[in-house]
Structures are given as structure tokens and as C-alpha cells.
Amino acid sequence: MPTVMVYHHRDEPNLSQVNGDEPCETSAYPPEKKDTIEWYPVNLDSPPEERWMQLASKKKAELAGMIGVVKNLTRIFFKNLIVDWVDKDWGPLADKIPKPYSDEIKGIAKAANMPLGEVVLYNIFYEIFSVCTSIVAQDKTGKIYHARNLDFGLFLGWDFKRDTWLLTEYLRPLLVNIDYQRGGKTVYKSVSFVGYVGVLTGIKPGVASVTINERFISDGGYIGLIEWVLGLNDAKFMSLLLRDTLDIATSYQDAVHVLTEPQLIAPAYFIVAGTKSGEGCVITRSREKTVDIMSLNITSNTWYVVETNYDNWNKPPVTDDRRTPAKTCLNQVTQQHISLPNIYNVLSTKPVRNKLTTYTALMEPLTGHLESYRRYCPDPCPLM
């Protein structure tokens, strides 16, 4: 482990009510069955270019619709300049992405009958456009739970008819749970979008679960992405690093170690949960190094950690404070009654759930349990 790591928890004031007097949800779970995200197996024994062909072909209309939204947004400001640039020059960038992921992306483009450059762009979008909430909690028996809301689509178009973020709306039909298999047996699982080969939310049964939250700082992902496009760095994409982690890690400690070392395209928070008491942390990463680790510490009554998109040692901005409501509601649940259904209720409380919320995932690392649901937020609902 690098010497910069600091394991600690910062004391917070007692919290008694949710921002804006919004009550904590207590009965959102179970969600409606229609919102359950379906499963799809990916055979890691197959050639990489063939692994996603069936799914990409099946969902090519939805994939094209989502890419069309991004194209139309860029045309507003740049006419066809950006679209032509992506279609012409981004295809060859696929070869800069490590194998087998580059071959998987090429296979998706072929199966969906889409320009390779557009599929490359789709697969690196998360490095600069996301807003999320992740929670790791431990109950009184030592069982570890991990859950997250993935919020995506901020400032990427508004649907005035449906009163929601446009890209968020087009991403929901692409949601899928992936069961990555070798020899017909599960190696790891993830919640993903059709056509996306990285992992933003994943679990390796009996080992660990992991999620990524974007870190909002000035030295952001757009800088690393531009450098990567121009050939100025060979840093790792965080979603591909997360998939590598799930593939190779054999323990919680392995997972933490893999995520603290490499240079990244974008700053990030890696939220990791294990199978034993105390195995849960938030790794704060700059593009170059690990800045901090905030861990569970049962001896000091730190039975949960919460991460949104801001450093845990600073107050979140008043315009986007999801941390305080999440902690308020967790405190109301108490460690005695913490469970995946109750964490789902916490993640359903506004503004933790908002117009950007695309899905909620619930995980238990010890058993490998993963359930996920499409999320919607009818008015009145926060924009973010």
C-alpha cells in the first residue's frame, strides 16, 4: 500500500432532518417488478469481439437513439463539426484502449451497425459526466452491504414534455445486469448499459463489491481525456480498471490495492466493500495518486460510509447536498435495523434520488447478491 493512505473517519455533527424537511423514505422497497433490470450472460471464454454481439444487435435501436441525443446536443453548439470529428477520427482511438476491451468495442460497433468512433465516445463518457451516491454499511452481526444510485445526464439536454433530463431518459432502456462467466460459472457481475464494456457497479461473489463516483475537482476528467486523445498519457480509464479489479482480485485487500496504484484518466472515488467486519472504504483518487481512504471503523461506531461527488473532509455545496440527507436517513434506520431494503429506502429519499437517478443497485459481497432497478422521480423532484 502506498504511504499516502490515511485510514480515518471524520466526526460529523448529529443530523436530525433531511434538507428541505423532506422526510426519509420508509416504504419505497420493494419497487415495482416492471422496474427490475434484466440479466444477460457474457461468456469470457468467447472471442472478445463476439461477447456482446447478441445483446448489441438486440438493442441497436435504443443504442442509436441514445447516441442520437448526444449528436443533437453537440450540433446545437458546433453544428456537425464534433459529429464529423468523432465519426472520422475517433474510430482509430479504439486501438489505444487495452485489449480485450478494444476488441469488445469493435464487436459492439459491428453488431449495432454504428460508427466505431461513436461507440468509443460512448465508452469513455462516464469519465466526465456523472453524479452519484454510494453507501457501504455494516449491521450488528458484521454483515456488509453496498448500494448505490447512479445519476447520469447532467446538463446533457432537457425534455420539456416529460420534465426530465434527456440523456437520462434514453439511458434507462439500455440498462442491463451482466453476469460475466468462465466455464459456465459466474466470475463477477455488474450493472451496466448495453454497449458499455466498463464497470461502474460490480460485485465478485465472496470477495468484494465496487462502485465508482466521479470526483468534482478542477483537475477533472476532461483534462485527462484530452491528453489521452492527443497521446499525451497512457493512464487508465476508471471503469476498465474496475473491471480488471473484479477479474483479478481474490480479497477485499487485493481490490483496494489495485484501485490505489495506477494513474487515472479522471479523478474518482472508488467505493469498496468486502465480506468481513470493517471491510468497507471510500478511496479518494486524484489522476496521479491516492489522496485519502475513509474506512468503516466499528470500534469508533463508524458503521457506514457515504460518498457522493465531493471530498468527505469538505462540506458539499448547498446546491448539491445529497450526503446530509443520506446520513440523516441512515442514522434514523440505525445499525440495528440496517438492511438492503432499508438502504434502498435511504437512496429513494429526495434529493438522494433526483431527476438524474438512472438506477439503484443493492449488493451483498459475501453472498454475491446483486439486485438493481430503474429509477424515476416524478415531480416535485430535485433536478440533481
Side-chain angles (χ1 to χ4, degrees):
M1 298 285 183
T3 56
V4 295
M5 290 187 185
V6 180
Y7 290 81
H8 62 94
H9 177 79
R10 293 163 178 81
D11 292 331
E12 298 274 353
N14 289 329
L15 304 168
S16 58
Q17 63 181 17
V18 173
N19 287 8
D21 298 320
E22 188 75 35
C24 295
E25 289 281 357
T26 58
S27 59
Y29 191 93
E32 295 184 46
K33 288 186 177 180
K34 67 179 179 62
D35 295 328
T36 302
I37 297 172
E38 57 272 22
W39 284 91
Y40 181 84
V42 167
N43 183 4
L44 295 173
D45 296 320
S46 298
E49 61 272 14
E50 297 177 8
R51 293 172 183 171
W52 301 92
M53 288 185 68
Q54 182 180 348
L55 187 56
S57 178
K58 179 182 177 181
K59 290 283 190 176
K60 63 183 179 182
E62 292 89 341
L63 191 54
M66 187 278 302
I67 294 293
V69 170
V70 177
K71 283 183 175 181
N72 289 336
L73 288 170
T74 62
R75 287 189 178 108
I76 293 173
F77 302 101
F78 304 104
K79 296 189 177 180
N80 283 323
L81 292 176
I82 298 295
V83 173
D84 291 344
W85 177 48
V86 169
D87 288 349
K88 178 183 176 184
D89 296 328
W90 279 60
L93 291 175
D95 291 324
K96 292 188 62 179
I97 296 172
K99 290 180 178 293
Y101 308 125
S102 57
D103 291 334
E104 289 185 3
I105 289 171
K106 291 175 183 178
I108 290 166
K110 182 178 180 180
N113 194 28
M114 295 177 61
L116 178 57
E118 294 179 5
V119 182
V120 170
L121 177 63
Y122 173 51
N123 271 274
I124 63 180
F125 225 44
Y126 188 85
E127 305 292 317
I128 52 175
F129 284 111
S130 62
V131 186
C132 306
T133 301
S134 291
I135 295 170
V136 177
Q138 178 176 319
D139 71 10
K140 285 287 190 179
T141 70
K143 186 180 294 183
I144 305 293
Y145 303 108
H146 189 173
R148 72 112 94 250
N149 280 353
L150 186 133
D151 304 343
F152 197 94
L154 183 63
F155 304 134
L156 296 177
W158 184 259
D159 186 332
F160 288 95
K161 281 188 176 181
R162 296 179 176 86
D163 195 27
T164 189
W165 294 103
L166 192 59
L167 189 61
T168 308
E169 186 178 0
Y170 275 81
L171 281 170
R172 290 191 184 103
L174 292 169
L175 281 166
V176 63
N177 289 329
I178 301 296
D179 184 353
Y180 291 92
Q181 301 178 353
R182 286 194 182 96
K185 296 182 179 180
T186 298
V187 181
Y188 54 97
K189 310 173 189 176
S190 77
V191 188
S192 192
F193 300 99
V194 176
Y196 189 81
V197 304
V199 169
L200 306 175
T201 304
I203 186 168
K204 189 168 190 175
V207 176
S209 55
V210 289
T211 56
I212 301 171
N213 288 17
E214 185 179 351
R215 185 181 179 211
F216 293 163
I217 59 174
S218 57
D219 185 17
Y222 64 94
I223 296 175
L225 188 56
I226 291 171
E227 290 178 352
W228 178 81
V229 170
L230 296 176
L232 300 179
N233 73 41
D234 58 354
K236 290 184 177 292
F237 288 100
M238 53 189 177
S239 65
L240 300 183
L241 176 62
L242 211 60
R243 186 168 159 189
D244 287 341
T245 302
L246 291 171
D247 201 26
I248 65 176
T250 59
S251 68
Y252 167 79
Q253 290 78 12
D254 276 352
V256 172
H257 180 71
V258 171
L259 295 170
T260 57
E261 294 292 331
Q263 184 179 357
L264 301 175
I265 295 287
Y269 302 103
F270 293 119
I271 302 88
V272 190
T275 61
K276 301 173 184 176
S277 176
E279 291 188 343
C281 70
V282 177
I283 304 168
T284 301
R285 286 293 315 265
S286 69
R287 294 198 294 133
E288 294 80 19
K289 64 182 181 180
T290 294
V291 176
D292 175 71
I293 294 184
M294 176 177 65
S295 297
L296 296 177
N297 189 337
I298 302 306
T299 58
S300 64
N301 200 34
T302 304
W303 58 272
Y304 66 78
V305 290
V306 175
E307 183 55 59
T308 57
N309 300 98
Y310 307 97
D311 294 338
N312 65 78
W313 55 91
N314 294 326
K315 290 184 177 180
V318 294
T319 55
D320 183 26
D321 183 5
R322 287 162 282 123
R323 182 198 302 168
T324 301
K327 297 181 76 169
T328 297
C329 296
L330 286 165
N331 290 339
Q332 288 188 16
V333 170
T334 73
Q335 187 182 13
Q336 182 72 34
H337 297 103
I338 199 65
S339 63
L340 288 181
N342 279 332
I343 296 175
Y344 183 91
N345 290 335
V346 171
L347 290 171
S348 299
T349 301
K350 302 170 186 175
V352 183
R353 176 173 61 106
N354 55 73
K355 290 284 189 182
L356 288 167
T357 306
T358 308
Y359 70 78
T360 297
L362 307 174
M363 299 179 285
E364 188 178 329
L366 181 61
T367 63
H369 176 76
L370 167 62
E371 58 184 291
S372 63
Y373 305 93
R374 292 178 180 86
R375 301 309 305 272
Y376 305 87
C377 193
D379 288 327
C381 180
L383 299 182
M384 59 180 287

